[in-house]
Amino acid sequence: MNSNLPDDWSPADNPYSIALSESSWLRATVALTVARMHGDDVQVGWFSSRQIDARTLVVALRQLLAAVKLERIALTDLGMDPAVITALDDAEQVFLDALPNIKHVRDGLTHFEDWARGRGSGPQKDARKTADPRDVARDFWSFGYDPLTDTVTMGPFTISVSAAVPAANALCDAIYAATREVDQRSTAELRDQVVQALTDATIPCTPPQDPVLVSQGHDMRVWLSFNLSSVPGGEHKELAERVATVTAHAGLRLTSSAFPEAQDIAERLVTGEPLRVERNGP
């Protein structure tokens, strides 16, 4: 846990960011396990390291779909443009097309207590309509990685290990793109809030000629600075103090990227330093 987070922080504030974070961990897990599976096999007690990694790989790939689910829920709750959600849905389908049996392979692996008895859901449930559970269990059993075919198998279901890394990368890129859309919208809304607060206080902030500049950076942050050439020298301090007061009353805070704890906000504006604009609270 980041010790710089406020005491009232909660992952529920930004679940789309949690989806991105988890997908990044899972992408790395997929890359690591595939690299080890394609490397030298190591004996770990009675077990092959490749077979151990195959189990980890399957779970990581399936969990990427959980990250997509969380991202989709967050996008819907935020009322994002349907096109953003559609792009994520399309990326998920491409992932499933590349690894069509990932759900069944993962289910057989993680629900072995049911699959070993032929009592699993999904395909085992369908098979029980015409076969005894004991026979179903046998037909759907035997998990393993075959280095010759580079595939992982659970009963009749197979996934390609060589397809895992590109599929995971593409899906994670889609989650990142969706998250960036949220950040871009949030940044634009924050910039509009800053401009409105300044405008209501009759502080000119229309680029490029007005004395106060409010910019939306490539870093997904909003920056406020002075166009010093547009402000008479004797008015710098007064304008800076007005800006600091107006933004504070609007529930915003100005911070220095160089000195985040600095309190001399007006003085920093006077020197021409761009200050980051943030909302107070979650």
Side-chain angles (χ1 to χ4, degrees):
M1 180 72 69
N2 187 338
S3 60
N4 294 323
L5 293 173
D7 292 339
D8 63 348
W9 175 88
S10 170
D13 294 336
N14 297 294
Y16 70 96
S17 295
I18 301 301
L20 176 62
S21 174
E22 290 301 310
S23 69
S24 298
W25 280 102
L26 293 165
R27 183 209 294 249
T29 301
V30 169
L32 177 62
T33 53
V34 169
R36 292 195 305 213
M37 291 166 70
H38 287 167
D40 294 334
D41 196 17
V42 177
Q43 202 68 19
V44 184
W46 294 100
F47 306 105
S48 154
S49 64
R50 288 173 175 166
Q51 300 302 327
I52 295 172
D53 282 326
R55 292 167 176 264
T56 301
L57 173 63
V58 167
V59 174
L61 289 170
R62 185 65 177 87
Q63 284 301 96
L64 276 172
L65 296 176
V68 172
K69 179 180 180 181
L70 177 59
E71 185 77 10
R72 185 183 295 109
I73 290 171
L75 294 175
T76 302
D77 289 346
L78 289 168
M80 291 298 294
D81 187 330
V84 178
I85 300 175
T86 298
L88 188 64
D89 291 343
D90 291 344
E92 181 183 44
Q93 188 58 56
V94 170
F95 178 88
L96 291 172
D97 290 343
L99 303 164
N101 294 314
I102 185 59
K103 181 181 186 303
H104 299 321
V105 175
R106 195 293 305 261
D107 285 352
L109 179 64
T110 60
H111 297 294
F112 64 88
E113 75 280 12
D114 294 324
W115 279 52
R117 298 180 299 118
R119 297 292 182 181
S121 59
Q124 280 202 338
K125 181 178 180 180
D126 292 338
R128 287 197 302 273
K129 296 176 182 177
T130 57
D132 181 81
R134 183 175 179 277
D135 296 328
V136 171
R138 181 181 60 250
D139 293 341
F140 285 82
W141 197 244
S142 187
F143 176 89
Y145 168 61
D146 184 349
L148 295 180
T149 60
D150 199 29
T151 56
V152 173
T153 300
M154 184 73 196
F157 304 113
T158 300
I159 63 170
S160 167
V161 173
S162 62
V165 171
N169 286 341
L171 189 57
C172 288
D173 288 345
I175 294 174
Y176 171 79
T179 301
R180 189 171 177 83
E181 289 287 344
V182 177
D183 289 339
Q184 286 179 328
R185 191 184 75 168
S186 297
T187 302
E189 290 174 347
L190 176 57
R191 184 187 180 280
D192 290 345
Q193 182 182 352
V194 177
V195 170
Q196 188 63 55
L198 295 174
T199 301
D200 290 346
T202 67
I203 297 176
C205 57
T206 302
Q209 72 278 2
D210 282 346
V212 179
L213 302 177
V214 183
S215 307
Q216 183 172 330
H218 294 297
D219 57 359
M220 295 296 160
R221 296 186 180 278
V222 175
W223 297 89
L224 188 150
S225 61
F226 274 8
N227 182 3
L228 295 177
S229 62
S230 298
V231 186
E235 298 178 12
H236 286 177
K237 184 175 181 181
E238 178 185 353
L239 179 60
E241 290 175 347
R242 285 186 64 203
V243 168
T245 299
V246 167
T247 52
H249 285 169
L252 306 167
R253 64 178 180 275
L254 304 177
T255 60
S256 166
S257 58
F259 302 96
E261 303 302 323
Q263 300 297 315
D264 54 339
I265 296 303
E267 287 81 353
R268 290 186 174 278
L269 283 174
V270 169
T271 65
E273 179 183 350
L275 300 180
R276 187 169 63 220
V277 186
E278 298 174 317
R279 291 188 178 93
N280 290 314

